[in-house]
Amino acid sequence: MARLSPRAATLIALAAIALLAPLLFPSSFYYRIGALIFINGLSVIGLVILVGFAGQVSLGHAGFAGIGAYTCALAPVHVGLHPALAMVLGAAISAVVAWLVGRPILRLSGHFLAVATLGFGILVYMVLNNESWLTGGPDGIAVADIGLRDLLRDYDIKVTASQLWYWLGAAALLVGAFLALNLQNSPTGRALRSLHDSEVAARTIGIDVARMKLTAFVVSAVYTSVAGSMLAMMNRFVTPDIAGFMHSVELLTMTVLGGAGAVFGGFVGASILTALPQLLTVFEEYENLLLGVIMMLVMIFLREGLVPSIARRLRRGGSK
């Protein structure tokens, strides 16, 4: 029997999880958690491309989530766009901003690059927080309904809002994973991975290092922007916190926790850090402590992230 390629296995696993997970949901609340996992997973896949493939670090990627989310909130009101079209507009704006910002800051490396991206994220957060005449300031702003439930109701298909966004999030995640996996196996993906190992060696064999870095930055920004737009449309409300530093840290931690070098690892990291706080609420004030301990243990004993480390150990066990 023919063996599945890693790309096909990843897509089948993600599809199976999305289809089978609702069988275990005791209430519609879990559909919302599932939707959050898928949306966060989409953001993390973008960071897998930037961090895992290209070896670049960003501490301000939540800024692109803020751009996407606030475009979905403002464009329907001021331009008359449907929220879905506003999501596309937000992705385009994020791509342009990433290209403009990435050209100068991606000349940096290491902690200098991390600080520069952190500055970008803080700048976006400050604009969203301070320009209350447009963004609503710290109080946030409402987001228009996409109207899909009403459309489905016309065809006698009744779903809750949580169920709708669960399936929309699953579809977006699968499309994002498919594109990322295709990129990983393309000549561009191989060029990006060469940057991760050594920029000097990549430049020696003729790879345009600056262009590859910028490509990864722009693509990852689009992923995060779309995820931010979906989160805003699902919640029907958005505040500047979506572009805050802690959101950037959460996304980066999800990426590293699951395994930055693997698309499925990014999804696993997003699943754990999205669902675990819900499970740890029974410990009340110890929730953050336990979450931190779990993350520390993983980083100490599974340094490559959960998925790559476990996969390597399974291969070693199978070879004995």
Side-chain angles (χ1 to χ4, degrees), residues 8-318:
T10 298
L11 292 173
I12 290 172
L14 291 175
I17 291 170
L19 291 171
L20 297 177
L23 299 177
L24 305 175
F25 291 167
S27 69
S28 61
F29 170 76
Y30 291 87
Y31 279 99
R32 175 174 172 77
I33 300 301
L36 288 173
I37 288 173
F38 293 145
I39 292 172
N40 286 335
L42 185 64
S43 284
V44 173
I45 288 175
L47 278 173
V48 165
I49 294 172
L50 181 65
V51 179
F53 294 2
Q56 309 303 307
V57 178
S58 174
L59 287 176
H61 241 56
F64 297 113
I67 291 173
Y70 274 84
T71 302
C72 280
L74 297 173
V77 175
H78 298 282
V79 186
L81 282 181
H82 187 276
L85 294 177
M87 179 177 68
V88 177
L89 176 62
I93 293 173
S94 293
V96 172
V97 171
W99 186 83
L100 292 173
V101 171
R103 285 177 66 86
I105 69 173
L106 289 173
R107 297 176 184 175
L108 306 171
S109 60
H111 58 278
F112 296 105
L113 175 61
V115 171
T117 56
L118 171 61
F120 164 74
I122 291 175
L123 179 61
V124 174
Y125 172 80
M126 290 177 61
V127 170
L128 297 178
N129 192 63
N130 295 333
E131 301 301 320
S132 55
W133 63 273
L134 179 65
T135 65
D139 294 332
I141 189 172
V143 180
D145 186 11
I146 61 173
L148 189 53
R149 287 181 66 197
D150 294 334
L151 180 62
L152 292 174
R153 197 175 293 116
D154 292 339
Y155 293 92
D156 293 327
I157 301 174
K158 297 181 180 179
V159 294
T160 65
S162 297
Q163 290 171 335
L164 174 65
W165 282 106
Y166 176 89
W167 295 113
L168 288 177
L173 178 74
L174 285 171
V175 171
F178 174 78
L179 294 176
L181 290 167
N182 279 342
L183 175 63
Q184 182 178 15
N185 296 309
S186 69
T188 300
R190 289 192 289 272
L192 289 175
R193 293 202 303 275
S194 71
L195 301 183
H196 189 282
D197 297 328
S198 172
E199 291 185 17
V200 175
R203 190 177 289 109
T204 300
I205 62 175
I207 293 174
D208 189 338
V209 172
R211 185 171 67 86
M212 287 296 103
K213 282 184 177 182
L214 190 58
T215 298
F217 193 67
V218 170
V219 171
S220 65
V222 170
Y223 270 83
T224 306
S225 176
V226 171
S229 295
M230 294 187 68
L231 185 61
M233 290 188 290
M234 179 178 74
N235 292 334
R236 298 285 308 280
F237 194 80
V238 62
T239 68
D241 288 341
I242 196 171
F245 171 65
M246 287 308 301
H247 190 204
S248 292
V249 171
E250 288 172 359
L251 295 177
L252 188 59
T253 305
M254 290 174 185
T255 306
V256 176
L257 179 64
V263 170
F264 190 73
F267 170 74
V268 170
S271 300
I272 292 173
L273 288 189
T274 303
L276 199 57
Q278 308 299 324
L279 300 176
L280 294 179
T281 52
V282 294
F283 296 101
E284 297 181 357
E285 68 268 19
Y286 300 106
E287 174 187 340
N288 291 333
L289 175 63
L290 290 173
L291 183 59
V293 169
I294 291 170
M295 290 170 56
M296 287 175 59
L297 291 174
V298 171
M299 292 298 100
I300 292 171
F301 296 105
L302 302 172
R303 295 184 180 181
E304 295 178 1
L306 285 170
V307 172
S309 298
I310 293 173
R312 187 181 69 253
R313 294 188 181 188
L314 290 175
R315 286 195 297 269
R316 287 179 180 176

